[in-house]
Amino acid sequence: MAATILTEKITLNGTDVPTKQNSDGEVVAKEDSEWTDEEKKKVELNAKAINLMHYAISFEEFRKVSRCKTAKEIWDKLRLTHEGTKQMRETRIGMLMKEYEIFSMKEEESIDQIFERFRIIINNLDTMGRNYSEETLVRKILRSLTKKCKVKSTAISERNDLIKITYDELRGKLLAYETTHMS
């Protein structure tokens, strides 16, 4: 457990090759034989973290990070690759928020299709740190339905306490309605 926590810290904060100051006052890498037990452990954990990351990523991802020397370098490069810079991240969040706000069911769309399309938006927002409560998701879906589903939407809203119904329960109710009334 302690090794796992230390490995995580090394991945997020980095570890440096143990150094010393030589007789000229320059900072140089220590010889392996000069490392303390703690320095050896940190270098070993860094190597383990690098190994774990190499096993966990695809070959395409590996090519992006293969020249990195520390787990932190790998982590930072992968994070930048997938999340982008802070400005890119904020732009992406803005675009996803707009998708969420204008989301509505298309006339020819099935319940499965609307929930799949909505799930993609919600998962992307979750990944970017924007989370919504079950109640908010339920209300958004109910507001997004087409006229042919409004009867069921109204019935669900009136019959159920929208704080208690889950997103998955709503999906089930709408699928049942679609199967019996809209086929």
Side-chain angles (χ1 to χ4, degrees), residues 7 10-12 46-58 61-62 65 70-76 78:
T7 303
I10 286 171
T11 301
L12 297 176
N46 181 62
K48 284 181 180 180
I50 289 171
N51 198 26
L52 283 170
M53 284 192 252
H54 284 173
Y55 278 112
I57 60 178
S58 68
E61 297 292 324
F62 175 76
V65 299
T70 66
K72 176 156 178 47
E73 284 181 76
I74 293 171
W75 181 258
D76 289 345
L78 289 172

Side-chain angles (χ1 to χ4, degrees), residues 18-159:
T19 58
K20 66 178 180 178
Q21 216 170 12
N22 69 11
S23 57
D24 297 333
E26 295 175 301
V27 176
V28 295
K30 284 183 180 180
E31 295 295 325
D32 295 1
S33 60
E34 298 176 299
W35 292 357
T36 65
D37 287 341
E38 187 175 330
E39 290 169 334
K40 285 178 188 176
K41 187 172 187 172
K42 284 183 180 179
V43 169
E44 182 181 304
L45 287 172
N46 181 62
K48 284 181 180 180
I50 289 171
N51 198 26
L52 283 170
M53 284 192 252
H54 284 173
Y55 278 112
I57 60 178
S58 68
F59 181 70
E60 291 78 27
E61 297 292 324
F62 175 76
R63 288 191 311 200
K64 294 173 188 171
V65 299
S66 63
R67 300 195 59 190
C68 296
K69 302 294 183 217
T70 66
K72 176 156 178 47
E73 284 181 76
I74 293 171
W75 181 258
D76 289 345
K77 186 165 276 201
L78 289 172
R79 188 169 183 195
L80 183 62
T81 300
H82 291 279
E83 293 181 6
T85 62
K86 184 173 175 132
Q87 184 179 5
M88 288 171 54
R89 182 179 164 84
E90 291 302 318
T91 301
R92 183 146 190 245
I93 289 171
M95 289 170 46
L96 288 167
M97 294 291 293
K98 184 172 183 169
E99 271 187 75
Y100 174 84
E101 290 165 7
I102 65 171
F103 183 84
S104 65
M105 184 177 188
K106 299 173 183 172
E107 285 299 325
E108 71 286 350
E109 200 168 34
S110 70
I111 296 300
D112 270 336
Q113 290 168 330
I114 185 178
F115 273 84
E116 177 62 20
R117 212 164 42 86
F118 193 64
R119 183 192 57 77
I120 291 168
I121 295 168
I122 295 306
N123 285 351
N124 285 331
L125 283 167
D126 285 346
T127 300
M128 301 303 267
R130 300 290 171 123
N131 304 334
Y132 292 97
S133 69
E134 288 278 318
E135 179 186 2
T136 302
L137 297 178
V138 166
R139 288 180 186 278
K140 178 62 178 172
I141 287 288
L142 289 173
R143 285 191 312 271
S144 301
L145 297 173
T146 58
K147 289 180 182 176
K148 66 182 179 181
C149 294
K150 283 298 179 190
V151 172
K152 184 62 176 175
S153 170
T154 302
I156 290 171
S157 296
E158 290 174 356
R159 198 172 322 133

